[in-house]
Every structure is written in structure tokens, then in C-alpha cells.
Amino acid sequence: MVDHEVDTPAGAAVVDADTADRRGGLPADGVLVRVRAGVGELTGALRRVAEHVLSDPEAAARATIVELAERSGTSPATITRFCRAMGFEGYADLRLGIAAETGRARSAGWTVDIGREIQPGDPLERVLGQIMAADTRAMHDTAALLDLTEVERAAVAIAGASRVNIFGASGSALVGAEMQFSLHRIGVAAWAWSDVHEGLASAALLGPGDVALGISHTGQTRETIEMLAEAGSRGASTVALTGFPRSPLAELADIVLLTASQATTFRPDALSARHPQLVVLDLLYIAVAQRTHARAHAAFRRTAQAVDGHKAAKGATA
């Protein structure tokens, strides 16, 4: 039965291609990347179309506009609006984009077990294959989403910063600690905060010339938003690492770095986003090191020498 409901209530967040592109959000290609990035911000009938396309992209690429409307319980008019929300002029362009992307994924071997639930009795070989396929897909999706101009801006800001604060909670705190460790090794004064009281106190001491990095896959974590907002109110440059370009965290940041995720059984989006987050932060770290090469090289050498004496001697036995 075709559903003719209104796609979104007044004021609801919908992915607008032009707006997202200005924020460095959506790529010019990668249809499924766009849909995954925007599905959380779609509502009603548009969201049902997005979820149906993601559940079986190959079938969506073969379907007519009427067939896709029937299968998603919507209407052809909704499909047309969905195409425009994803940045396409019409349904033909959407179908071609999906077909091209699923073809590339199939030839690259990314589709192995993606979308299939891991069962308790699955052998580890199958589980490993699914994890590798999901992570590989997430990495490629992240590369498509990531705006390198934004990475460049963040690297320049961090390279010239007097102090860098990194904010994150739970799993994002672990990712933030990795970034703090990397920056510290090349002589960048960086601190990672997960406790909101300590983070807010530290953010209040920032000012112009400092940088604050907030990490949250959903961009909805209240503590991280509060800490980044405090840093921004003091004049610090703010950077958000998130999977949602229209999230509260992204909206308040000066610079937005986007990541994608590919959820699997026992690894929902927030957990499956960890590896893409680390890749983006590793890229940012290298970009900072490039821009502070002499200082970074000297600092890395000194820090390596400082801990060298604690390595086991060659040939030593326990």
C-alpha cells in the first residue's frame, strides 16, 4: 500500500545537498555513502526509502520508481524528493549511481556478508570475513565523505596552536587518547579529557590560537557538545569528528571532519566507527607532523630515545 504521508514535519532536519556540500559533508559521488550519512536525519517516508535502499542496494538499482515506492511503502513523489535530497536530479541518476557503486563494491570484494547478521554458531573464518568486509567498506566510505580541505584547515590550526584540547566520552574518549598520545610524541601540547567537569575547566582556559577537538560519532553526546561549546566561547578554534554533518556537535564546530561506519552484529555504529575515526585522526596527525617537520622530527627522536632503555635487549630471556 502506497503511503502518501508528509515526508518531514515542519522544522525537521533533512539532508540538503547544497547545505551539506557547503559544510564539507557529502561527496559528489558515492550514493550509498550519502544515504548512510543522512539516514539518521531523515524522517517519515524519506527515511523508509533510505532504509530500503540500504537494505538491498542491488535490488533498488534494478527497480522502477513505482516498484521502489511500493517496496518502501511510499509513493513515486516521495522517491523523487528522496533523489533530490541526495543531490540527484531524478530517479534515473540515482539508479545509475547505486548500480555503479554496488558494481565497484562487488568487484572489490566488499560485499562479503555485509548486511548478514552474525549467528552464534558462525565459524570464526566467516566472522573475520564479515568484519574485514564491513571495515573495508567503512574506510572507503569515510574516504569518500572526508573533505581534505577541512583536514588541511584543522592541521594548520593544530600546528600553530599553543594548546590542543581533545574531548570525548566512552569509546570516543579512547580514540581521543590515541590522538593525544600521537600529538604529544611530536611536541604538540595536547590534553585529552573525558570527564565533563575537568574538560569544562580546561576548556575555560583556552583562548584564540588554541584548538579544541570534539569526538562523537552521533554528534549528540551532551558532555562533548558542552565542552566544545565552552572552548569555542573562549575563542578557540573548534573541530568536530562525527558521522553526522547536521548534528549539534557539527553545527557548533568551525571545522567538521566526517566519518562513515558499517554496523555488524555486536558492533553497532558507535563501535564500528572507531577504525574510521582512527584513520581520519591518523591522517590529521601526519598532516600536523608535515607542517611542523623539524620540530616534530626532533621531538619524536628525543621521545623515542627516552624510552629506548626500557626495551628488552636482543637475545635476552625472561
Side-chain angles (χ1 to χ4, degrees):
M1 180 127 177
V2 176
D3 186 348
H4 295 284
E5 69 173 87
V6 176
D7 297 318
T8 56
V14 177
V15 174
D16 176 88
D18 293 336
T19 301
D21 285 340
R22 287 196 298 271
R23 291 300 302 262
L26 300 180
D29 56 3
V31 184
L32 300 180
V33 178
R34 300 189 200 190
V35 178
R36 289 190 197 97
V39 66
E41 297 169 347
L42 297 174
T43 61
L46 285 180
R47 181 163 187 148
R48 290 204 299 279
V49 176
E51 291 173 344
H52 183 78
V53 168
L54 291 176
S55 68
D56 194 347
E58 293 188 1
R62 294 190 300 268
T64 66
I65 188 171
V66 173
E67 289 171 340
L68 183 59
E70 291 177 348
R71 292 171 187 174
S72 59
T74 61
S75 67
T78 297
I79 304 299
T80 299
R81 285 192 288 273
F82 174 77
C83 293
R84 290 172 181 165
M86 293 298 106
F88 291 94
E89 292 185 3
Y91 184 60
D93 292 334
L94 176 72
R95 286 181 64 187
L96 287 173
I98 296 174
E101 190 170 347
T102 54
R104 288 194 300 270
R106 195 184 311 109
S107 64
W110 304 341
T111 57
V112 178
D113 281 339
I114 289 182
R116 176 189 178 278
E117 291 293 307
I118 297 175
Q119 301 300 324
D122 284 350
L124 288 181
E125 181 180 8
R126 181 182 291 276
V127 175
L128 176 61
Q130 179 160 345
I131 291 173
M132 292 295 293
D135 281 358
T136 300
R137 182 60 176 268
M139 298 292 188
H140 282 272
D141 285 357
T142 295
L145 278 174
L146 191 61
D147 186 339
L148 296 182
T149 302
E150 293 286 272
V151 177
E152 174 81 24
R153 290 180 60 206
V156 170
I158 292 174
S162 301
R163 178 186 179 104
V164 177
N165 270 7
I166 303 169
F167 305 121
S170 190
S172 295
L174 300 178
V175 175
E178 282 280 329
M179 184 59 169
Q180 186 272 336
F181 172 77
S182 297
L183 292 175
H184 192 71
R185 286 294 300 270
I186 60 172
V188 176
W191 287 261
W193 305 100
S194 58
D195 180 88
V196 67
H197 290 202
E198 294 177 349
L200 285 172
S202 183
L205 298 177
L206 298 180
D210 296 325
V211 174
L213 167 63
I215 303 172
S216 169
H217 171 65
T218 63
Q220 303 276 354
T221 304
R222 189 177 65 184
E223 293 84 352
T224 304
I225 293 169
E226 289 177 357
M227 291 185 284
L228 196 68
E230 177 66 27
S233 73
R234 302 295 176 174
S237 297
T238 53
V239 182
L241 179 66
T242 181
F244 296 88
R246 300 286 295 279
S247 64
L249 187 71
E251 291 290 347
L252 69 84
D254 301 316
I255 301 169
V256 179
L257 306 179
L258 289 175
T259 59
S261 63
Q262 182 71 51
T264 58
T265 311
F266 307 119
R267 291 202 314 164
D269 281 343
L271 291 178
S272 61
R274 181 179 57 210
H275 291 149
Q277 287 174 337
L278 288 171
V279 167
V280 172
L281 291 180
D282 200 33
L283 174 64
L284 179 58
Y285 155 70
I286 294 296
V288 173
Q290 287 178 315
R291 285 150 186 78
T292 59
H293 183 266
R295 183 184 76 186
H297 183 71
F300 196 84
R301 185 176 64 251
R302 290 198 302 271
T303 55
Q305 289 174 344
V307 300
D308 192 58
H310 288 270
K311 295 179 180 178
K314 291 182 179 180
T317 57

